[in-house]
């Protein structure tokens, strides 16, 4: 099995089905935890040195953080619904509690924090939407916690890639500080519709010291410590993924693989 692929498990006593920490990933910034909570179930935590973006991917939950209560966060039935998720930003050193109103799927996206931030609801109307790519490279993006929203190091985005399309394509990377890039670690939390499907993700570097092609199933996480990381959805299966990114500089700047950059460059005009 790939060292970059993390598979879900049945929920533990706290509802955790998947947990990626900087220690388990062997990096410095990104953490990702996935919860599945039943109606009335609760989850509580406090990250002393890390900020958290709580994303209610499906279902509804009441979230309390730093003495503030955010009621009925979320509401969509599944990640493939064309509606925003619910989200709450929780700064470092702030205790928070989640109570599910019904069955709920909740992602905890974490990264190093800093003083000066307050808990807040991230309303759906603030999550900008965009369409990237063209043809079989088209995908639909929702910015949950982009670089122009208050946070210290976290970036969070969700993407829907239609059946038969490619995403994070042409292959791009963001693992070097400078030269038009920022150094960002990244996780991809994948879902498939219908759920028995699979997708394919390749993670590779210029020198091929890292070169893995991962068969992704519903609920898997792929860790991207460095390198290019395109992903493809086979015909018949829509692909959703939630990205968490963080690094020393909170800015998303990337470089396409020069071998494939021609795909998005304008064709020269006819003479």
């Amino acid at each position: 099995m790939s060292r970059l692929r993390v598979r879900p498990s049945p929920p533990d006593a706290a509802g955790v089905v998947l947990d990626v920490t900087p220690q388990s990933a062997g990096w410095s910034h990104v953490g990702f935890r996935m919860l599945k909570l039943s109606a009335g179930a609760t989850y509580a935590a406090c990250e002393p040195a890390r900020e958290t973006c709580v994303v209610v991917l499906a279902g509804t939950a009441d979230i309390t953080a730093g003495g503030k209560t955010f009621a009925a966060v979320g509401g969509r039935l599944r990640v493939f619904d064309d509606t925003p998720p619910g989200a709450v930003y929780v700064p470092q050193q702030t205790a928070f509690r989640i109570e599910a109103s019904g069955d709920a799927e909740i992602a905890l996206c974490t990264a190093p924090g800093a003083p000066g931030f307050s808990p807040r609801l991230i309303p759906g109307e603030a999550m900008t939407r965009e369409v990237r790519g063209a043809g079989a490279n088209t995908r639909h993006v929702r910015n949950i916690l982009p670089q122009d929203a208050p946070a210290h190091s976290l970036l969070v985005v969700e993407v829907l890639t239609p059946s038969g399309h490619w995403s994070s394509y042409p292959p791009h990377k963001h693992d070097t500080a400078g030269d038009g890039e920022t150094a960002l670690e990244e996780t991809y939390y994948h879902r498939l519709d219908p759920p028995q499907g699979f997708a394919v993700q390749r993670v590779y570097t210029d020198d091929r010291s890292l070169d893995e092609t991962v068969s992704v199933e519903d609920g898997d996480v792929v860790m991207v410590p460095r390198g290019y990381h395109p992903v493809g959805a086979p015909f018949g299966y829509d692909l959703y993924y939630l990205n968490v990114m963080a690094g020393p500089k909170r800015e998303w700047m990337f470089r396409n693989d020069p071998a494939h950059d021609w795909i998005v460059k304008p064709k020269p005009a006819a003479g």
Side-chain angles (χ1 to χ4, degrees):
M1 180 177 290
S2 167
R3 55 181 172 164
L4 302 180
R5 179 190 187 195
V6 183
R7 303 241 49 214
S9 302
D12 65 12
V16 177
V17 299
L18 193 150
D19 194 16
V20 175
T21 68
Q23 293 75 24
S24 68
W27 57 33
S28 302
H29 290 82
V30 170
F32 181 80
R33 179 171 292 174
M34 189 65 202
L35 309 176
K36 288 194 176 182
L37 302 179
S38 57
T42 62
Y43 176 90
C46 180
E47 293 279 0
R50 298 177 67 79
E51 60 187 2
T52 304
C53 185
V54 181
V55 185
V56 183
L57 296 177
T60 307
D62 295 335
I63 301 172
T64 301
K68 298 180 180 180
T69 297
F70 307 98
V73 178
R76 70 183 180 188
L77 297 179
R78 61 190 200 125
V79 297
F80 293 95
D81 292 346
D82 187 18
T83 186
V88 170
Y89 172 80
V90 182
Q92 65 170 21
Q93 297 182 340
T94 303
F96 64 94
R97 182 178 183 272
I98 303 166
E99 182 173 351
S101 304
D103 290 346
E105 300 175 8
I106 300 171
L108 304 180
C109 314
T110 71
F117 298 93
S118 301
R120 72 181 190 278
L121 177 71
I122 303 174
E125 58 268 23
M127 300 178 190
T128 56
R129 297 184 66 193
E130 56 185 298
V131 177
R132 293 181 190 159
N137 192 31
T138 302
R139 62 271 199 198
H140 306 275
V141 179
R142 184 176 276 111
N143 297 298
I144 299 170
L145 188 62
Q147 63 191 42
D148 59 356
H152 176 63
S153 57
L154 262 177
L155 297 165
V156 183
V157 63
E158 65 177 13
V159 179
L160 179 62
T161 305
S163 156
H165 285 216
W166 282 86
S167 200
S168 295
Y169 189 84
H172 71 267
K173 74 181 185 78
H174 39 71
D175 58 12
T176 303
D179 194 27
E181 287 183 60
T182 44
L184 298 170
E185 303 159 357
E186 186 170 19
T187 54
Y188 277 65
Y189 171 66
H190 290 280
R191 300 296 303 274
L192 286 139
D193 183 31
Q196 71 270 23
F198 67 92
V200 175
Q201 184 158 25
R202 184 184 180 195
V203 182
Y204 68 97
T205 56
D206 286 308
D207 64 3
R208 303 303 193 265
S209 60
L210 173 61
D211 191 355
E212 291 196 23
T213 300
V214 184
S215 178
V216 176
E217 296 183 341
D218 188 56
D220 286 352
V221 161
V222 174
M223 301 182 294
V224 182
R226 63 190 187 279
Y228 307 100
H229 41 276
V231 59
F235 177 77
Y237 294 93
D238 290 335
L239 172 68
Y240 165 96
Y241 56 81
L242 180 73
N243 281 145
V244 183
M245 292 180 282
K249 183 178 182 180
R250 188 173 180 258
E251 188 174 7
W252 184 57
M253 296 176 62
F254 63 89
R255 179 174 69 86
N256 288 337
D257 184 340
H260 307 294
D261 200 31
W262 64 270
I263 295 169
V264 292
K265 286 185 175 178
K267 294 181 180 179

